[in-house]
Amino acid sequence: MKTRTLTLAPLALVAASALAEPAAPAYSILQELERITVTATLNQRATKDVANDVSIIDAVQIDRQLAQDIGDLVRYEPGVTVTGNATRFGLGGFRIRGLGGDRVRIEVDGIPLAQEFGIGSFSNAGRDFVDVDALKQVEIVRGASSSLYGSDALGGVVSYITKDPADYLDATGGTYVAGKLQYSSVNRQASATATWAGGDAGSGAMVVATRREGHASDNQGEIDSGDNTRTRPNPRDTRSDAVLAKFVRTADSGRVDRITLDGEKAGIDTDALSAVTTVLNGPRTTSLRGGDERTRTRIALGQDIPFNSRLLDSLEWKAYLQDSDTVQETVEARSTATAGVLGNPVQRHRRFDYEQRVGGGELTARKSLSLGGAEHAFTYGLDLSTTRTGEMRDGYQLNLTTGVSTPNVPPDAFPVRDFPITETSNAAVFAQDEMTLADGRLSLIPSVRFDYYKLDPRNDSIFADDNPGIEPQGLSHTHWSPRFGAIWRFNKTLSAFTQYSQGFRAPPFDDVNIGFTNIAFGYTAIPNPDLKPESSKGIEAGLRASGTLGYFSVSAYRNRYRDFIESLAFAGFNDDGLMVFQSRNLGRVEIRGIEARYGLDLGAFSAMLDGFGVKGNLAVGRGDDETADAPLSSIDPRKAVFGLSYDRSRWGAELLASFVARKDRLPSGDPANGVPDPFVAPGYATIDLHARWSPNEHLELFASLANLTDRTYWNWGFSEGLSAASTTLDRYTAAGREASIGLRSSF
């Protein structure tokens, strides 16, 4: 109850200032509703002028909070979290309002990142493919966005927007050079970023390069053993190199030409001590080491072309090619224990290779005109893409006594493909109209998109040999995705908004044609070409205000989903007595909740408080699997953030407190039938401190202390699915007290 009072009390004060409607608002730095978003409507709009909840995290915030990865980016974001694996693979992807994985579209400069895929404990391809130091800002759109982005935007969109030469250069031209160093104690990671830009704001080139080296992220575990009783992090070395290069030219006609080259290569070497077993009798893992590497390369070309015609004012096009590859090598040493004595040593080598190449193009036209007593901003276009996805697992087992090698590594006979090489084609047309009526007080924003989706598998000898008698199946779908938004402005500072949207997600390649059979273990997985697209209908409504005292935004949402796809569900036994697993459509899921954010400029109340401000947010969500009549475990626990800041041109500091409720609304276990009770993550509160100092215009220093009270807690994105009976729960705790420092010099 104290948290609710602390979080919502400033809303009434800001509402009062909004209703007063000052004649000449003097907006403070806390007023995030003035920030510009492109992702929400495909046009540059202030966040207060879009009909749904959008967050913007810019480069200034990334620097001042010393963010080093995607988890740091959204640490204080309501309704957004990052999932991952604590023992080996690290960060995975984003979850928005309870939906994660490939139900959230993640894109960089409008180009979608590779989809995730995982099968078994040694194969896990996530979506952590972008270095944060290359980012100008991150835009997070909550809720279904299929009317503009098609499939995979069922839960929302995370849009990375990379830096441009104009971010460093002014109209007079010149050269910009900067270096940035950063160190974090949580994983002993050191990073160095170099930036060069030349030309001017209209025509210029730039290069940003970053190198990172670190180790395992710390936790609050205390058992430092060399086996599966271990709760300390596994020893790990991490590294990454990222480069972003851009060339932008503005012609005398106003046409803007763009070329972008972007690439990242990252690796993790893990000594998985937590996988070592100590049984007295039977097979025993004596060591397990993993080498995981991911690479991504992108080239994109595009133009913005001004026109003066009846059909369009401007035309924007881009073409791109992006290749993403995840390779994971695992070396496992095993022996057979007899009364504790080891014998028959073998070494198992496994390799997982997952590659996705996407090529495509987009054409977006814009036209503004007065029609029927209203001002219209039309946006319409075409989106084409082709994605080729391939995966293979290979390996062998070496008998260290006899020297004999075999490709049979239980439960697999290598090489295998878990789905056939698949080409996915998508063609879409979309249109949107931003109408302004009633002297600017009312905005109506209808949009619609039509998608054609085709999945075309390629049967090859590896998949065929591993899945005899199974013929890969193709499919195609079409889908209309409408959305309608409205904004009513009571005055210059207070407005209400609402939005109805429909979303969909086409059946993915792996669920349609998953395949593996293991006779020895008595199971098989079979394709399901009859899968339906997942779909959603949602409504969101809220209230916003922005005035001389600050800002606030509060919204409520309710989303209903049909035909959710459950991967590899048990489907019974076949004629050979094998357990059959097949992906299937579930019935209905409902997710609803409330989100709020606020900021107050305390200097507006008293000159003695000039420079001080408070800000915060609140997220409460609830989800239900109506088919199973059970709670949806992916919903994050209730969370509130409260911050106090002091900001001056040369220095500033910010204290942020996060309050997270106990996660106790979970599906029930059934220990008597082998289904353990789920782990209930306790509630917690943490306090973080960020500070900066600029002794001159060329130098800026940053410092951060996180979890000042050294609190032991679990992030739900890393602890969902744990058993309450586990003896190693501390292995999944977040870090304790941690410190980060950074320095940037620019000329």
Side-chain angles (χ1 to χ4, degrees):
M1 186 62 68
K2 292 181 179 179
T3 300
R4 175 181 292 181
T5 303
L6 181 65
T7 306
L8 297 181
L11 301 182
L13 295 176
V14 186
S17 74
L19 293 174
E21 191 179 340
Y27 296 109
S28 76
I29 60 172
L30 294 175
Q31 292 175 299
E32 296 181 357
L33 301 187
E34 300 299 325
R35 294 187 178 186
I36 302 300
T37 174
V38 177
T39 310
T41 65
L42 298 182
N43 296 296
Q44 293 189 2
R45 298 287 183 265
T47 56
K48 68 178 183 179
D49 292 325
V50 299
N52 57 323
D53 194 12
V54 180
S55 296
I56 296 179
I57 304 165
D58 60 19
V60 173
Q61 182 176 337
I62 292 172
D63 282 344
R64 293 184 178 183
Q65 296 181 354
L66 288 100
Q68 63 175 340
D69 55 40
I70 61 175
D72 293 337
L73 282 179
V74 299
R75 178 181 295 183
Y76 308 112
E77 279 300 308
V80 183
T81 191
V82 167
T83 59
N85 180 284
T87 58
R88 175 175 173 180
F89 300 112
L91 301 174
F94 293 95
R95 188 160 62 196
I96 300 176
R97 292 177 174 174
L99 294 188
D102 295 330
R103 295 185 177 102
V104 173
R105 178 182 172 99
I106 306 177
E107 61 177 35
V108 53
D109 293 336
I111 300 170
L113 291 183
Q115 296 166 299
E116 68 177 42
F117 177 78
I119 187 165
S121 57
F122 306 113
S123 310
N124 190 314
R127 306 176 78 188
D128 183 17
F129 273 105
V130 175
D131 191 273
V132 298
D133 273 349
L135 302 179
K136 174 165 55 179
Q137 67 184 43
V138 182
E139 300 183 11
I140 302 174
V141 180
R142 294 165 172 80
S145 302
S146 296
S147 68
L148 294 178
Y149 295 96
S151 181
D152 299 341
L154 194 67
V157 179
V158 176
S159 177
Y160 298 121
I161 300 174
T162 59
K163 295 173 179 175
D164 287 312
D167 296 318
Y168 304 107
L169 306 170
D170 57 25
T172 61
T175 300
Y176 174 91
V177 178
K180 177 183 175 183
L181 300 175
Q182 188 169 321
Y183 177 82
S184 175
S185 68
V186 66
N187 54 4
R188 293 172 291 151
Q189 177 174 277
S191 66
T193 298
T195 302
W196 172 89
D200 57 44
S203 298
M206 56 157 282
V207 178
V208 179
T210 301
R211 169 71 177 182
R212 299 181 187 272
E213 293 184 359
H215 303 278
S217 292
D218 202 5
N219 67 7
Q220 294 280 55
E222 297 181 352
I223 300 176
D224 199 14
S225 63
D227 55 38
N228 57 4
T229 63
R230 181 181 184 87
T231 59
R232 294 289 299 146
N234 287 322
R236 178 187 300 173
D237 295 320
T238 64
R239 63 200 174 276
S240 70
D241 295 287
V243 177
L244 169 69
K246 282 189 179 182
F247 171 76
V248 178
R249 176 182 178 272
T250 302
D252 293 339
S253 64
R255 188 192 73 245
V256 180
D257 308 320
R258 293 188 178 89
I259 302 176
T260 302
L261 296 173
D262 182 19
E264 183 192 16
K265 183 176 182 179
I268 303 174
D269 296 323
T270 305
D271 184 3
L273 298 177
S274 60
V276 173
T277 55
T278 57
V279 296
L280 290 176
N281 294 286
R284 177 190 293 186
T285 297
T286 57
S287 73
L288 193 147
R289 294 180 178 270
D292 309 324
E293 188 172 277
R294 68 176 188 270
T295 58
R296 181 183 62 87
T297 56
R298 169 179 64 115
I299 181 171
L301 309 174
Q303 290 181 317
D304 294 346
I305 306 172
F307 281 85
N308 184 16
S309 72
R310 294 181 178 181
L311 293 179
L312 67 164
D313 296 329
S314 66
L315 181 69
E316 177 184 350
W317 70 265
K318 65 182 173 185
Y320 57 86
L321 180 65
Q322 179 176 262
D323 188 62
S324 304
D325 194 12
T326 298
V327 177
Q328 295 169 340
E329 303 267 6
T330 303
V331 179
E332 179 185 16
R334 293 171 64 92
S335 293
T336 301
T338 304
V341 179
L342 299 180
N344 190 29
V346 298
Q347 195 174 72
R348 293 179 172 179
H349 294 253
R350 298 179 177 89
R351 177 185 173 92
F352 168 71
D353 195 336
Y354 174 77
E355 182 179 15
Q356 193 166 79
R357 174 174 293 179
V358 57
E362 294 181 14
L363 194 66
T364 304
R366 297 177 175 87
K367 178 65 179 179
S368 297
L369 53 83
S370 298
L371 184 66
E375 298 296 321
H376 297 260
F378 292 102
T379 306
Y380 56 97
L382 177 67
D383 186 358
L384 303 172
S385 66
T386 299
T387 304
R388 183 185 185 275
T389 308
E391 175 263 2
M392 188 173 74
R393 291 185 293 124
D394 204 353
Y396 63 91
Q397 178 170 290
L398 177 65
N399 189 308
L400 298 179
T401 302
T402 65
V404 175
S405 176
T406 174
N408 296 318
V409 183
D412 298 297
F414 290 129
V416 299
R417 296 193 196 277
D418 299 298
F419 58 87
I421 296 173
T422 304
E423 186 172 281
T424 304
S425 301
N426 189 83
V429 292
F430 59 88
Q432 175 184 263
D433 182 14
E434 297 174 85
M435 292 180 282
T436 304
L437 306 90
D439 296 327
R441 296 172 70 90
L442 175 64
S443 291
L444 301 177
I445 312 170
S447 61
V448 66
R449 175 171 166 137
F450 175 79
D451 279 271
Y452 170 76
Y453 171 92
K454 182 180 180 182
L455 189 148
D456 186 13
R458 309 277 197 249
N459 199 3
D460 67 312
S461 58
I462 295 177
F463 184 82
D465 291 345
D466 191 45
N467 300 275
I470 293 179
E471 185 69 23
Q473 301 292 315
L475 59 78
S476 62
H477 285 289
T478 59
H479 203 280
W480 289 94
S481 302
R483 179 175 67 169
F484 181 81
I487 304 171
W488 175 259
R489 299 171 181 86
F490 297 99
N491 48 50
K492 292 181 180 180
T493 55
L494 182 66
S495 63
F497 66 93
T498 187
Q499 176 178 272
Y500 170 80
S501 62
Q502 293 186 13
F504 87 105
R505 175 177 176 249
F509 54 86
D510 50 333
D511 283 307
V512 173
N513 281 308
I514 195 75
F516 54 83
T517 300
N518 187 275
I519 302 298
F521 285 73
Y523 63 83
T524 183
I526 62 175
N528 186 357
D530 297 323
L531 285 173
K532 302 175 184 177
E534 299 176 332
S535 63
S536 73
K537 296 180 180 180
I539 188 168
E540 181 173 358
L543 191 67
R544 296 188 180 115
S546 181
T548 55
L549 298 185
Y551 69 90
F552 81 82
S553 175
V554 59
S555 63
Y557 62 90
R558 181 180 182 183
N559 301 316
R560 296 184 65 85
Y561 304 89
R562 296 187 62 179
D563 298 320
F564 252 36
I565 296 175
E566 180 184 13
S567 299
L568 298 179
F570 177 63
F573 293 86
N574 64 12
D575 294 339
D576 297 322
L578 298 178
M579 292 185 294
V580 177
F581 295 89
Q582 185 181 48
S583 298
R584 64 181 182 182
N585 290 106
L586 293 176
R588 299 175 183 272
V589 170
E590 181 179 278
I591 300 175
R592 54 198 182 276
I594 297 174
E595 293 169 353
R597 65 182 76 235
Y598 63 85
L600 283 175
D601 182 1
L602 298 182
F605 294 92
S606 169
M608 296 179 60
L609 297 176
D610 189 29
F612 283 95
V614 297
K615 67 179 181 180
N617 59 63
L618 169 71
V620 178
R622 181 186 177 97
D624 293 282
D625 179 349
E626 297 180 344
T627 303
D629 192 23
L632 204 63
S633 64
S634 62
I635 303 298
D636 287 322
R638 299 183 302 277
K639 182 178 180 179
V641 175
F642 176 79
L644 174 65
S645 64
Y646 182 77
D647 201 12
R648 279 287 181 257
S649 60
R650 291 295 186 185
W651 70 281
E654 185 174 40
L655 193 70
L656 289 162
S658 300
F659 306 89
V660 179
R662 182 173 182 260
K663 179 59 181 178
D664 54 4
R665 193 171 185 273
L666 295 166
S668 301
D670 187 4
N673 292 307
V675 180
D677 288 324
F679 168 61
V680 176
Y684 63 90
T686 59
I687 301 174
D688 304 333
L689 176 64
H690 307 288
R692 64 175 182 86
W693 175 49
S694 299
N696 56 58
E697 61 179 342
H698 299 294
L699 186 65
E700 191 164 16
L701 304 174
F702 307 95
S704 175
L705 286 173
N707 195 3
L708 290 174
T709 60
D710 203 28
R711 181 67 182 267
T712 297
Y713 67 98
W714 287 260
N715 282 316
W716 189 240
F718 279 74
S719 57
E720 179 189 358
L722 296 179
S723 166
S726 172
T727 59
T728 57
L729 288 173
D730 285 352
R731 182 186 298 165
Y732 304 93
T733 53
R737 188 182 298 111
E738 58 183 278
S740 299
I741 57 173
L743 177 151
R744 183 179 59 230
S745 179
S746 59
F747 298 91

